[in-house]
Amino acid sequence: MPGTNRQIRLAARPVGEVKPEDWEHAEAPAAEPGEGEFAGRTRFVSLDPAMRGWLDDRPSYLPPVGLGEVMRAGSVVEVTASNHPRYQVGDLVVGTFGVQEQVVSDGRGTVRIDASVAPPSTYLGALGMPGMTAYFGLLEVGALKEGETVVVSGAAGAVGSLVGQIAKVKGCRVVGIAGGPEKCALLTDELGFDAAIDYRSEDVRKALRTHCPDGIDVYFDNVGGDILDAALARLAMHARVVICGAISQYNAESKVTGPSNYLSLLVRRARMEGFVVFDYAARYKAAAAEMAGWIADGRITVKEHVVRGTVDDFPATLQMLFRGENVGKLVLELV
Amino acid sequence: MPGTNRQIRLAARPVGEVKPEDWEHAEAPAAEPGEGEFAGRTRFVSLDPAMRGWLDDRPSYLPPVGLGEVMRAGSVVEVTASNHPRYQVGDLVVGTFGVQEQVVSDGRGTVRIDASVAPPSTYLGALGMPGMTAYFGLLEVGALKEGETVVVSGAAGAVGSLVGQIAKVKGCRVVGIAGGPEKCALLTDELGFDAAIDYRSEDVRKALRTHCPDGIDVYFDNVGGDILDAALARLAMHARVVICGAISQYNAESKVTGPSNYLSLLVRRARMEGFVVFDYAARYKAAAAEMAGWIADGRITVKEHVVRGTVDDFPATLQMLFRGENVGKLVLELV
């Protein structure tokens, strides 16, 4: 039915895991674009681990999503009407448009997609936030040097799968940690990782001793918890621990578990550093161009997990992410 | 009785707090200096929080003290006989000679004391390891900049009291955390700190909000545990957390408590970094000269807590340290 805009709004602040009743499935009238604006129809919605943090009412790098507000999300929209000088009907545009079918935007913070470079969904993954997160986290925060040993957790996820592959491009030894034999096989057989550790069936600490005989130079952490502790126990001298996320802790109802092996930072003269990718926005364009080159060369393989459905499938798709059921970048394609 | 050398040796690996029975009070024949060696009589023994770590049988930045070995310690000795080209009878020499009355050394890793610069005990404190630890930890690892807000825990201890004063020399706002009203009064009334927080009677997190309205730029941690967590919750953007020690955790019988607020590193784009002062050995001389200048100027006040006794008083004196009963650098003077 044209003229209505189906939306997913935050109904309640989740405690622990996000539950179906934390969301409101709502309808609003579809707005018309005003002067200098364009309207678009959502084609792809991004699902990201960081979303869990946006739901909590506490200070962070972005304000929390308000109760009753449309859920914040990156998405790709197709322009359906435009009074905007840069966009024409039919253009594909990526931006933070939220989980809804119809959007109206003045174009701030948006980028036109060049479909000759990569499929639209890739602008939410390797050429979007996850790609930029992997790139700047590994190369800038991690200060990666050729020949080093890199370990990444959440290695089969959107960010992790790119971290490992970028490290291979840079001539490093790469060990990925992921859950389950399929993900681990993907890492070594398809993505070029030197080794994979299945944290569900292996003793991670022991496996890190085997696969990193000279210690870990850069540990890129997406998960926190016990795996962070295992990596801290295996740091090389002057190692860098990049804190990108902590998906194992996001749904914790009690206090986050801190890394009890943090004193290894002292013994190994190492540092642990956090970052937020937005700080590198001025350099996205150059980084995305480099990444697109690696993809075109076949040096980086893009893994995307596309769920086809409607905005109403957003809550269930988000649960997949926190249960580790996706491989690569998780995207909801609206059909 | 000349000809005998009373020593404190490690008798057992302590579990939790070090107990009297973990030490052996032994006697050995006093050795004669050989070719190129000197003999000395111990005058001052250094007591340092790091000693607890040296007693555990696990990999660290130094090998553990072996069972039956003389306890490792920095000390000042007076040369009593010398076949060494650089040392003469009567010279005062600082080195890692261990907890014993008599020493013989080939001079490696030793430094002659210039009593015109500072009293001998100060070569174990402000001009020795604690001074170098404060200097390089704050200025190099902490990358302190003028006008920043610095918080230091263990602020009335050997290292902490110097960290705060060096930060004042560098034009910073300084808040110290210490245990008890006397130590806190010392910090503000005598050492020039801008504020002091008594962790025994105050809510540290709340007090940090009061005293650091714009957040903490450099947090110098000597204690770990809850205080580290409180500081992490109050970091300014791009803050540096210097991990120097964790005295609250050294006697822990169970696992070290990790900082559950470590994700604040991500939100605040901050880093946490450990160091070991020995890595800066090549620069000690210049740093000690600068420190001696600040002491001579009266810009830095040296606090020393001197216990007078014999080597047999070492175990009880070490307990004082872990119970927080000392103010400033704790030294055992042999009389």
Side-chain angles (χ1 to χ4, degrees), chain B residues 7-333:
Chain B
Q7 303 174 321
I8 302 299
R9 299 180 188 165
L10 183 63
R13 298 246 167 252
V15 177
E17 199 177 349
V18 190
K19 288 171 292 298
E21 55 269 33
D22 297 327
W23 303 109
E24 179 194 359
H25 296 247
E27 269 180 12
E32 297 290 319
E35 182 66 30
E37 293 182 332
F38 68 89
R41 179 173 67 84
T42 304
R43 294 277 308 277
F44 298 91
V45 177
S46 180
L47 294 104
D48 299 278
M51 285 175 159
R52 182 64 189 82
W54 303 344
L55 304 181
D56 289 332
D57 188 15
R58 62 175 167 221
S60 189
Y61 59 94
L62 281 178
V65 176
L67 290 176
E69 284 180 13
V70 174
M71 176 58 189
R72 181 187 294 143
S75 62
V76 172
V77 305
E78 183 179 337
V79 176
T80 52
S82 181
N83 302 317
H84 190 281
R86 285 194 294 127
Y87 292 124
Q88 298 185 315
V89 172
D91 281 354
L92 292 173
V93 180
V94 64
T96 305
F97 299 118
V99 186
Q100 53 185 339
E101 289 176 344
Q102 312 280 342
V103 311
V104 168
S105 165
D106 63 7
R108 272 184 293 188
T110 67
V111 173
R112 181 192 283 102
I113 283 175
D114 180 351
S116 73
V117 172
S121 57
T122 303
Y123 281 80
L124 298 175
L127 299 180
M129 286 307 120
M132 299 299 100
T133 299
Y135 184 97
F136 291 104
L138 182 65
L139 303 181
E140 295 289 319
V141 187
L144 188 69
K145 291 187 281 289
E146 191 183 327
E148 291 192 320
T149 295
V150 176
V151 173
V152 56
S153 58
V159 173
S161 63
L162 295 169
V163 166
Q165 293 184 85
I166 295 170
K168 288 308 298 178
V169 168
K170 296 293 183 181
C172 291
R173 171 171 175 76
V174 178
V175 178
I177 305 175
E182 295 79 10
K183 287 183 180 176
C184 286
L186 167 80
L187 297 181
T188 51
D189 299 352
E190 196 177 335
L191 303 186
F193 284 51
D194 296 285
I197 299 170
D198 179 357
Y199 73 85
R200 289 187 185 154
S201 66
E202 291 182 69
D203 177 334
V204 174
R205 193 178 292 231
K206 210 163 160 184
L208 285 173
R209 272 202 298 274
T210 304
H211 295 303
C212 308
D214 301 322
I216 302 167
D217 296 301
V218 175
Y219 173 59
F220 193 106
D221 190 38
N222 290 305
V223 304
D226 291 341
I227 292 178
L228 171 55
D229 256 334
L232 284 170
R234 194 69 206 154
L235 297 184
M237 286 287 276
H238 306 294
R240 287 82 68 199
V241 176
V242 181
I243 301 295
C244 178
I247 200 166
S248 77
Q249 303 296 314
Y250 289 166
N251 288 325
E253 293 189 39
S254 56
K255 233 166 74 163
V256 164
T257 302
S260 67
N261 287 333
Y262 83 101
L263 287 172
S264 160
L265 296 177
L266 189 158
V267 176
R268 311 310 288 171
R269 291 80 154 161
R271 73 164 191 246
M272 184 188 289
E273 187 162 355
F275 76 107
V276 172
V277 69
F278 307 143
D279 296 345
Y280 297 91
R283 298 166 59 192
Y284 283 174
K285 204 171 165 182
E290 195 168 12
M291 192 83 87
W294 292 332
I295 295 170
D297 289 351
R299 301 177 78 181
I300 283 192
T301 298
V302 170
K303 294 304 292 182
E304 293 177 2
H305 191 126
V306 180
V307 173
R308 293 164 60 91
T310 70
V311 291
D312 293 310
D313 295 309
F314 173 80
T317 312
L318 190 65
Q319 279 188 327
M320 288 179 59
L321 192 71
F322 290 107
R323 292 174 182 169
E325 293 168 9
N326 61 304
V327 171
K329 173 64 197 168
L330 183 61
V331 172
L332 176 61
E333 181 176 7

Side-chain angles (χ1 to χ4, degrees), chain A residues 232-302:
Chain A
L232 284 169
R234 193 68 205 155
L235 297 183
M237 287 286 278
H238 306 292
R240 286 83 69 201
V241 176
V242 181
I243 301 295
C244 177
I247 200 168
S248 76
Q249 303 296 313
Y250 289 164
N251 288 325
E253 293 189 39
S254 55
K255 234 167 72 163
V256 164
T257 303
S260 66
N261 287 333
Y262 83 102
L263 287 172
S264 158
L265 297 177
L266 189 158
V267 176
R268 310 309 289 170
R269 291 79 154 162
R271 73 165 190 246
M272 184 188 288
E273 187 162 355
F275 75 108
V276 172
V277 69
F278 306 144
D279 296 345
Y280 298 90
R283 298 165 59 192
Y284 283 174
K285 204 171 164 181
E290 195 169 11
M291 191 82 87
W294 292 331
I295 295 169
D297 289 352
R299 302 177 77 181
I300 283 192
T301 298
V302 170

Side-chain angles (χ1 to χ4, degrees), chain A residues 293-331:
Chain A
W294 292 331
I295 295 169
D297 289 352
R299 302 177 77 181
I300 283 192
T301 298
V302 170
K303 294 305 291 183
E304 294 177 1
H305 192 127
V306 180
V307 173
R308 292 163 61 90
T310 71
V311 292
D312 293 310
D313 295 310
F314 173 81
T317 312
L318 190 64
Q319 280 189 328
M320 287 180 59
L321 192 72
F322 291 108
R323 292 173 181 169
E325 292 169 7
N326 61 304
V327 171
K329 172 62 195 169
L330 183 61
V331 172

